[in-house]
Amino acid sequence: MLLVPCPVCGPKNAAELTYRGETHSRPDPNQATPEEWRSYLYLRDNPAGWLREGWFCSSGCRTFFTLERNTTTGELREPLLPGNKVAGRPISDGTEP
Amino acid sequence: MADPVFRSSVTSAETTSAESTSAAAVTISDVSDWSKCSVKAGEGTETAKGFAVALGTAAQRNGVLVVHHRQHEWLLLGSAAQVDETIHNLDRDGFVSTVDLTHGRMMLRVSGPRSADVLAKVCSSNFDDAFTPNRAAWGATVARVTCDLVRDDQVGVRSYLLLCDRSYGDYFFQSLLDAADEFAD
Amino acid sequence: MRQTSPVIKQRRAAKYSLGGLIRRGFSKESWPRVWREPEFGSHYDVVIIGGGVHGLATAYYLAANHGITNVAVLEKGYLGSGGSGRNTAIVRSNYLTPEGVAFYDRSLTLYNSMARDLNLNVMFSERGHLTLAHTDSALRTMHWRAEVNKLQGINSSVIDPAEVKRLTPSLDVSENVRYPILGALYHPPGGTIRHDAVVWGYARAADAYGVDLHQKTEVLDVLCTGGDGPEGKGPGGRVVGVRTSRGDISAPLVVNCTAGWASTIASMAGVRLPITTHPLQAAVTEPVKVFLPTVVVSGSLHVYVSQTDRGELVFGASVDPMATYQMGGTLEFTEELASHVLELMPGIGRMRLLRQWAGLCDMTPDYSPVMGPTPVEGFHVDVGWGTYGFKAGPVSGEQMAACVANGRVPELIAPFGLERFSRGDLVGEKGAAAVGH
Amino acid sequence: MSNHRIPDAPGQLINRDVPLTFTWNGRRLRGYEGDTIVSALLANGITITGRSMKYHRPRGPLTADYWDPNTTVQVGDEPNVRASHRLLRDGMNVSAQNVWPSLRFDLKSANRLVGRFLTAGFYYKTFMKPAALWPLYARVLGTFAPGGVVDLDAPPPRNDKRYAHPDVVVAGGGPAGMAAALAAAQAGASVMLVEHEHQLGGHLCWGDDTDRAEAARLAHAVRAAGVEVLTDATVTGRYEDNWLAISQRGLPGIDERLIKARAGVLIVAAGTIERPYVFAGNDLPGVMTSGAVRRLITMYGVKPGNRAVVFTANPSGDAAVVALEAAGVTIAAVVDGRLGGNVVAAHGRNRVRRVTLADGRRIDSDLLITAVGWTTPTSLLNMSGDRPVYDPEAARFFPWCPPDNVLATGGLAGDGTTEQLVAHGEATGLLAAARAGVVRHRLQHLTRRAEPVTTPEPAWPADERPPLPHGSHPALFRSTTHGIVDYSEDVSSKDLVQAADEGFDSVELVKRFTTTTMGPSQGKLETVNTVAVLAEARGETIEQVGTTVWRPPYAPISLGALAGRIHEPVRMSSIQPWHEAHGAQPILAGQWIRPNHYGDPESEVRNTRNRVGIIDITPLGKLDLQGPDVPKLLNLLYTNSWNALPQGAVRYGLMCAEDGVVLDDGVTGRLGPEHYLMTTTSSGAATVWNWAENWLQTEHPDWQVHITPVTTGLTSINVAGPDSRQLLERLTNDIDLGPDAFQYMQVRTGTVAGVANCIVWRIGFTGELSYEVHVPSGFGLFVWEQLLVHGQDLGVAPFGLEAQRIMRLEKGHFIVGQDTDGLSKAPVTGLETLLKVEKDDWVGKPEVVWALSRGDGPRIVAVQPTDPTVVPEEAAQIVAAGTNQILGRITSSRFSPTLNRSVCLAQVHPDVATPGTTLTIVLANGTRTTAQVMEHHAHFDPEGSRLRG
Ligand SMILES: Cc1cc2nc3c(=O)[nH]c(=O)nc-3n(C[C@H](O)[C@H](O)[C@H](O)COP(=O)(O)OP(=O)(O)OC[C@H]3O[C@@H](n4cnc5c(N)ncnc54)[C@H](O)[C@@H]3O)c2cc1C
Ligand SMILES: NC(=O)c1ccc[n+]([C@@H]2O[C@H](COP(=O)([O-])OP(=O)(O)OC[C@H]3O[C@@H](n4cnc5c(N)ncnc54)[C@H](O)[C@@H]3O)[C@@H](O)[C@H]2O)c1
Ligand SMILES: Cc1cc2nc3c(=O)[nH]c(=O)nc-3n(C[C@H](O)[C@H](O)[C@H](O)COP(=O)(O)O)c2cc1C
Ligand SMILES: [Zn+2]
């Protein structure tokens, strides 16, 4: 289980937090065209790589915060734990030995 | 009219049996009748300075245990009189609010040399002295219930206060008793 | 587009049969290869990205129904290495909306004749599918589904706990448990199928028509022209080919059938999708003698289970909340799974978990797929299959083939177009239970 | 039994002073304490321990350790017990699995005769016609399912869990693992040493005197150094950030426990596993690995046979010769693989009788021992992201580059003498302790509550361990004949070659087509042989073919252990004990247990409508809101306007999500100048709290609002009915309840039944005059009891959820989530006046505005069936008359005791939402009935005169 660095509590098991997904900014509700608004509602970059995402420390300090995580390697941009990366080779993607 | 009767949320019969002698490896007692008050204020305010408790820790202030478990929030635990007095004397500058949580939170004390082992069966927090020294305060799930935890050793004996929503009372108490079972002597 | 003659020639594939098996048992003659190792071509009429059941079925029906055989299926791993090779193979048609029901029912029809059509036993086992209700509101949803299903002519009804017990004796239907079984949606035609066989069946049959199956061929870019975005990508443009790890291919039509990876391919064409990628995990136990005759799903407990004819219990759950392309799996999944399945069947606590794995699911906001053309001409999608797309493989292939071949969106898939999101017309499957297999 | 046991000798783990009795297929047998089931069976001369899956060939011990594929048995109600690992207990009932009808006489072994047709994947190629018969075939195939029998009525096992946070976890208690644990502990790390077997020592346990002395020395030192030693325990999984699953068995009173450990560093010291050899007859009882006979002889004092042929290509085979001789087994031949010797076939029916060698010799023997090399249990490393590489010189895989917080040592990492292994283990332990120190420092530094660390973070120690050498070993995988590769799946090398010939062109496809490596040992024994056979068939190297993916668990773990204790939180109001004592029918609503009714909900309705009823509605979500900017927040969260809510007033509000879909509803009251109480639905309580916090923290951090949930701090009691005012007046003296002083939609605070700080608001879900009383929960039950005592003469009676549901339906109030669904946008409610499109910003506004202008969304309408006795089921479909075209559905329905007729709410297409429209409803039994769309949502008292009275 991922250790998630809550800015207030410190590293916590991911299960202690609520994942909130890809961050995106809210268009002005009075100006937005239906296209823009619905792209805010539904469309996502969903990158295979670095993703900025929201977390909520739901069973701890109740802070909403964002962090950057690589969706293919599991790395966090601010390395939390030293020594978690596989040096040399990419982490197994499960489809190859 | 009859005088109001205060009742704890722990209604199960075992309540008393868990409160055994202090020599036991672990004792679990229901201390829900403590006064519990939440104070919210900005981090740099006079109110905050008045408490002088670092985030993530707790401290005794005039007989009240002041728990700074969350940003902008303090939990005052103690007797009704002392908590009321602390609230009364708060140095309120700017935006400060208080809510009495006495009735909304149930509180257990888990004490004894094996208390950390009991909690380690139902909570993923690290109970090692280095991570949760005496007077550490934090939030975590315990037996799948969201709790506030405070390490509050009693004359050198390891001890924890656990607060959760009142409605979980029976379930929560039973879960801890069950976890403590293997350490019963 | 140029179509070959309406009478379609199928390359002779050795017919699978008991006779053939016996003859070869004596003669030691070996079976011919299931599919060719084709040469890498530089031009195809249609390029299909993704060698799962959707991509392969689309290729097969393009050839079989429309005579379009100059088709390549590009697969970065081995055939079926995506969701198609790692799903729990539950098949049903008791969906919540009329459009969903019509669509999946067509798929069941195709599955029923598949062994004959593809000359390969896909081991379709119509063992009955039970969706348990533990709360009033879940029961209400079951009724809702049953009523819609009945109007569409689907065999589906709500049954009481006694009937649940009769159909599946290992379930605990007693009342004084944390999650009492208040009833179930019973769907007799639902069941399981051998997922790998379906993949191989379509692959073998498509190959026999001359479709080129390129494994270990990763698409690195989608080549476009005329679009609003950089490199001619994006709305307003059209697709001209793909760049792969083995070279470029030119093609006027490209179909994205990459499920969990759908967003990565779409972004190569400058198209944004209403999709996030989440792992869905599954697990099997060690085998024991067969005791579980039906497929059991519990939405409230986020678990489903069936027993294979090899005796293992196959479990699944709902997707992991965190978006990721990693397939490592988690311990929490097995813990939740075990505690929930023991609520349903307290008698199996001594069975042991043998293996857990994960696949990637392309989740959409309305639990329905995204099918058909995109703002980039020639670039089609058949994605958004989430946790339920295996059962849709045949019908999707059939309809996508028609869509690509005729340049018109067939009625059966019209409700699932990408434009529904900008219109705000989501499909109503969202009301169904969280575990939607 | 005596002639299969050898005399007592050092190293034996059995205690001959404690004989045990057990049964094998009903036959009473004896063994000793310390025996495994298999050693006891062999000591009794029993050599067939089961039959194979497909061909029902007799099988006997092969590796005599946990991974033995042939010794899986049923013990009492427990299926699939590893008999070579499970210790014998007195009174155990052991039986063979996979036999029909009996072990010795197995009818299904007829499959052996048709084996040549049961080639890989044969079922894909046949049973297609006639299609109708496939279910029958499937059932027959099902009877071949291997494995034991689950007793569904057996008492559940006892399991639990715990968490741990060790600096270092060592998987494997052989010499390298013990040395690593010791060194790490001595360097100050907290260490957990996990050993799969019942004792520490690893392969030293079946070594010579020196080996065992070294094992004892290390085991003692490890314990003395304070290492937490777990035996009969397995590291079953390594997940992200060194999150480890450890299964621990055999604790007193606990069958299996799952330990979830967050380790600083994981040391994998899993050793090596001996590979079986592929040749004709290699699955006959009597064919064993060198490790098997050494274990049986040295650890259990069992003599495995009388005359042995030993095929050896390494020191372990050589040592087996010595052990066999010492046990009194005649060595018929030693065939040395290093010198080009080979075995070709073993012959016999139920046991080895003769062996054919490559040089043409045929030798009579009842044992054929093979020592052809090792496979590396790299599974934990693969789970960590490593992809071990094949070294053709050593003929096995080695770790390549695991992540920096996972270290490999011992046989897994290389070869060497015990001293070399121990030295490497020590170096690994030191490195692990140092790295774990950095991890701990970092974690401590990032955790505010932790003991502050003042020293700068130490540098990440580089790996400067001198590597263990890779010994060279002949590449022996398959002889010139075909034999079994995967014993538990009955897959032969011939099947694999056939799969390759058919074009299953990757090892993963071959796995799925043949099921090789998919059985209980998950490839521990068979992967490398599989890969080697495929490489041979395809003319590729082992490295080119690659292995299949390893996945958790390392060794199977019981569902019971994974589940642990069932922690299913249950919530109760302070009055719930009273409800239970008074015969309430409980209903589960989320985590809450609530009273559904007290026997007769319809009479509860009548009593409330005619006199006065009280209901416990504590689960109603309640949020205390304070601060000058609360109105801004309310304006954002609710669709309607909150600018001018007077102090002492309450207002109803509707909430949407950003997509315009109805999220929740409730009332909010203003208690003081900057103090509000918001209520939400019971199920929406947490959602709304988190959601409001989210808007404050992310979009409007400048707003001054404090939110505190007080759902259970306040016990909520609704006092409803014509006499409710009269009842409440008896219990309050500081709140003026007069109809003008305290009007509908107002709130007061005061004392109720002597309890101060109660909040009372006058609103009504039931449509009656009613007061919602919120009491500090410690006194909740007290106030409830007082209401009953003081209202006795008024006929006060409790009512439950069901009565409330009936009454709210009579009043036409919709319930979010029942009458609306995941796609219902706000206009569905028909509450257009609440949708303030002129307000600047509120959540979901754009979608609601567009939905209003389109006007084509469904509507909630009140519906009354033409036949008043017909109650259409909730979810009954509304269709266009004479067709199956769906126009809507009944979302709520009840028989109304007040109106003496059925009443419903429905969601319908706007075309049929006009009052007076006749609808066609399809009932669950298939018949159709008609109903009228009503003018008002409220079936009862649409003017609301009762609740305003
Ligand atoms: C654990 C699990 C259980 C499930 N259970 C069920 C169930 O019971 N019933 C059901 O109906 N559905 C189920 N599903 C869902 C179902 O498996 C999928 O919806 C379905 O398999 C999707 O098929 P597909 O052909 O679209 O995609 P996939 O089978 O995932 O194929 C996509 C392919 O695209 C390839 N690819 C990706 N990127 C590239 C690239 N750049 N270049 C080349 N190739 C690429 C991938 O390697 C992959 O093979 C389950 C899914 C999972 C993970
Ligand atoms: N001569 C022999 O019979 C023989 C047998 C095996 C190994 N060896 C040699 O011994 C050396 C290996 O010594 P070593 O100390 O590395 O290993 P070892 O084989 O002595 O000990 C490894 C131990 O790890 C345990 N283990 C494996 N995976 C585990 C897990 N996931 N959880 C808990 N326990 C686990 C095993 O039960 C075993 O006892 C190598 O050189 C090897 O070739 C020799
Ligand atoms: C329906 C089904 C049944 C399975 N049964 C087994 C099984 O009996 N034994 C096994 O080892 N794996 C079994 N698997 C899992 C596969 O071995 C494999 O883990 C899965 O297809 C994912 O592939 P990967 O682990 O190679 O990534 C099964 C998978 C599915 C989908
Ligand atoms: Zn936090």
Side-chain angles (χ1 to χ4, degrees), chain D residues 610-652:
Chain D
N610 298 327
R611 311 186 78 174
V612 55
I614 57 175
I615 178 170
D616 175 4
I617 50 167
T618 302
L620 191 77
K622 295 176 279 285
L623 296 174
D624 179 283
L625 307 177
Q626 300 190 44
D629 293 323
V630 173
K632 287 187 188 162
L633 180 69
L634 297 177
N635 271 328
L636 178 69
L637 300 186
Y638 285 123
T639 64
N640 50 334
S641 173
W642 292 80
N643 292 333
L645 184 71
Q647 197 170 320
V650 296
R651 185 171 286 170
Y652 172 82

Side-chain angles (χ1 to χ4, degrees), chain B residues 17-177:
Chain B
S17 75
E19 286 186 74
S20 52
T21 60
S22 55
V26 57
T27 61
I28 304 174
S29 33
D30 177 13
V31 290
S32 300
D33 59 347
W34 284 29
S35 258
K36 316 174 202 83
C37 190
S38 150
V39 178
K40 290 185 174 152
E43 219 45 65
T45 56
E46 290 305 315
T47 318
K49 287 184 205 146
F51 288 133
V53 179
L55 186 55
T57 70
Q60 282 287 346
R61 297 282 178 262
N62 308 322
V64 172
L65 188 63
V66 178
V67 182
H68 193 14
H69 58 317
R70 281 181 208 143
Q71 269 186 309
H72 316 301
E73 184 172 356
W74 291 260
L75 197 57
L76 313 187
L77 305 173
S79 71
Q82 281 168 317
V83 169
D84 285 353
E85 194 190 315
T86 309
I87 297 285
H88 187 77
N89 295 332
L90 275 187
D91 194 349
R92 293 174 188 247
D93 63 323
F95 176 41
V96 178
S97 74
T98 63
V99 178
D100 183 1
L101 297 178
T102 306
H103 297 264
R105 312 284 286 163
M106 74 94 72
M107 183 156 85
L108 296 182
R109 183 182 280 286
V110 183
S111 307
R114 304 302 299 270
S115 51
D117 297 324
V118 172
L119 294 179
K121 292 186 70 177
V122 284
C123 176
S124 67
S125 296
N126 190 341
F127 294 97
D128 185 308
D129 282 338
F131 287 89
T132 46
N134 193 20
R135 296 292 160 78
W138 73 103
T141 44
V142 179
R144 296 186 59 193
V145 172
T146 302
C147 285
D148 296 318
L149 293 93
V150 186
R151 171 128 176 231
D152 180 38
D153 289 359
Q154 302 287 288
V155 283
V157 176
R158 202 180 262 272
S159 183
Y160 299 89
L161 290 171
L162 276 63
L163 293 96
C164 72
D165 193 283
R166 162 185 183 105
S167 55
Y168 292 110
D170 261 345
Y171 159 81
F172 192 61
F173 188 61
Q174 291 302 330
S175 299
L176 283 167
L177 280 187

Side-chain angles (χ1 to χ4, degrees), chain D residues 742-806:
Chain D
F742 190 173
Q743 297 177 9
Y744 180 58
M745 297 304 270
Q746 289 191 330
V747 56
R748 299 289 180 264
T749 47
T751 306
V752 177
V755 176
N757 297 321
C758 292
I759 299 164
V760 183
W761 52 34
R762 196 182 146 190
I763 58 169
F765 203 41
T766 58
E768 294 301 320
L769 170 68
S770 71
Y771 300 87
E772 228 165 78
V773 186
H774 304 285
V775 183
S777 282
F779 303 115
L781 177 53
F782 173 78
V783 171
W784 177 267
E785 287 167 339
Q786 293 299 305
L787 283 164
L788 289 166
V789 169
H790 292 272
Q792 209 168 6
D793 59 314
L794 299 174
V796 67
F799 64 100
L801 215 52
E802 175 59 15
Q804 192 194 39
R805 280 187 184 163
I806 296 173

Side-chain angles (χ1 to χ4, degrees), chain A residues 20-78:
Chain A
R20 300 181 31 75
E22 190 168 321
T23 55
H24 41 107
S25 58
R26 185 172 186 250
D28 178 343
N30 294 305
Q31 302 294 317
T33 63
E35 290 269 306
E36 286 162 356
W37 188 258
R38 284 165 185 155
S39 127
Y40 153 67
L41 287 180
Y42 304 123
L43 301 189
R44 297 292 177 266
D45 288 337
N46 191 31
W50 288 103
L51 170 69
R52 174 153 281 279
E53 63 190 10
W55 287 85
F56 171 41
C57 189
S58 44
S59 60
C61 67
R62 299 190 58 79
T63 304
F64 288 81
F65 60 95
T66 62
L67 53 83
E68 277 182 87
R69 183 175 54 90
N70 189 311
T71 58
T72 55
T73 63
E75 280 172 277
L76 302 178
R77 194 76 100 180
E78 281 288 311

Side-chain angles (χ1 to χ4, degrees), chain C residues 110-403:
Chain C
L110 291 171
Y111 267 135
N112 261 311
S113 62
M114 185 175 290
R116 241 175 313 118
D117 296 347
L118 302 183
N119 176 232
L120 189 121
N121 188 351
V122 290
M123 299 185 209
F124 187 18
S125 157
E126 286 187 294
R127 55 179 64 188
H129 182 284
L130 289 173
T131 314
L132 305 176
H134 307 286
T135 63
D136 278 5
S137 60
L139 197 57
R140 205 176 300 120
T141 309
M142 302 303 134
H143 276 291
W144 182 4
R145 274 164 61 177
E147 294 309 312
V148 171
N149 294 165
K150 285 187 219 161
L151 288 173
Q152 306 280 116
I154 304 296
N155 187 352
S156 173
S157 59
V158 174
I159 59 173
D160 65 12
E163 181 69 2
V164 171
K165 185 80 185 169
R166 195 186 64 72
L167 289 167
T168 311
S170 52
L171 289 172
D172 180 2
V173 298
S174 56
E175 285 168 21
N176 294 320
V177 293
R178 179 67 181 82
Y179 294 97
I181 293 171
L182 304 180
L185 181 66
Y186 179 41
H187 180 46
T192 59
I193 198 156
R194 188 61 64 84
H195 57 292
D196 289 326
V198 174
V199 171
W200 302 334
Y202 275 124
R204 176 169 164 269
D207 169 84
Y209 276 117
V211 169
D212 285 355
L213 310 176
H214 295 296
Q215 301 184 69
K216 295 190 181 137
T217 307
E218 180 168 3
V219 172
L220 305 173
D221 201 359
V222 176
L223 309 172
C224 301
T225 172
D228 300 342
E231 299 171 56
K233 297 170 191 289
R238 58 163 301 114
V239 73
V240 295
V242 293
R243 173 154 302 144
T244 80
S245 53
R246 292 168 63 197
D248 286 4
I249 297 175
S250 72
L253 290 164
V254 172
V255 190
N256 176 4
C257 297
T258 53
W261 296 267
S263 301
T264 65
I265 298 291
S267 79
M268 292 173 194
V271 173
R272 274 182 105 210
L273 295 175
I275 284 177
T276 49
T277 295
H278 296 261
L280 178 64
Q281 303 192 53
V284 284
T285 63
E286 294 180 351
V288 293
K289 295 283 177 266
V290 174
F291 70 90
L292 180 66
T294 53
V295 177
V296 176
V297 180
S298 161
S300 321
L301 286 170
H302 305 289
V303 62
Y304 58 94
V305 51
S306 69
Q307 189 171 19
T308 70
D309 47 25
R310 285 156 44 83
E312 316 117 10
L313 295 185
V314 181
F315 299 117
S318 39
V319 290
D320 295 357
M322 194 171 80
T324 178
Y325 287 83
Q326 290 180 288
M327 290 198 277
T330 65
L331 177 62
E332 298 70 69
F333 157 72
T334 61
E335 295 182 77
E336 292 268 306
L337 177 85
S339 61
H340 288 161
V341 80
L342 290 181
E343 293 269 359
L344 301 176
M345 296 191 269
I348 62 169
R350 289 193 167 78
M351 287 187 71
R352 292 184 197 83
L353 202 84
L354 181 63
R355 186 177 178 95
Q356 68 174 108
W357 67 93
L360 298 182
C361 292
D362 37 346
M363 304 301 291
T364 60
D366 59 358
Y367 300 82
S368 296
V370 185
M371 301 177 77
T374 67
V376 173
E377 202 187 322
F379 182 68
H380 287 69
V381 289
D382 172 22
V383 298
W385 285 108
T387 63
Y388 38 77
F390 193 77
K391 66 180 78 61
V395 65
S396 304
E398 181 192 58
Q399 301 296 312
M400 283 306 296
C403 182

Side-chain angles (χ1 to χ4, degrees), chain C residues 30-35 37, chain D residues 120 493-507 509-511 513-514 530 533-540 545:
Chain C
S30 69
W31 290 95
R33 292 180 63 88
V34 271
W35 48 72
E37 250 172 65
Chain D
S493 48
K494 209 164 134 191
D495 292 322
L496 298 176
V497 172
Q498 177 215 325
D501 286 351
E502 276 190 50
F504 287 93
D505 39 18
S506 85
V507 64
L509 286 174
V510 169
K511 159 183 156 176
F513 185 62
T514 62
T530 295
V533 169
L534 282 179
E536 189 189 320
R538 302 228 302 259
E540 292 178 346
V545 173

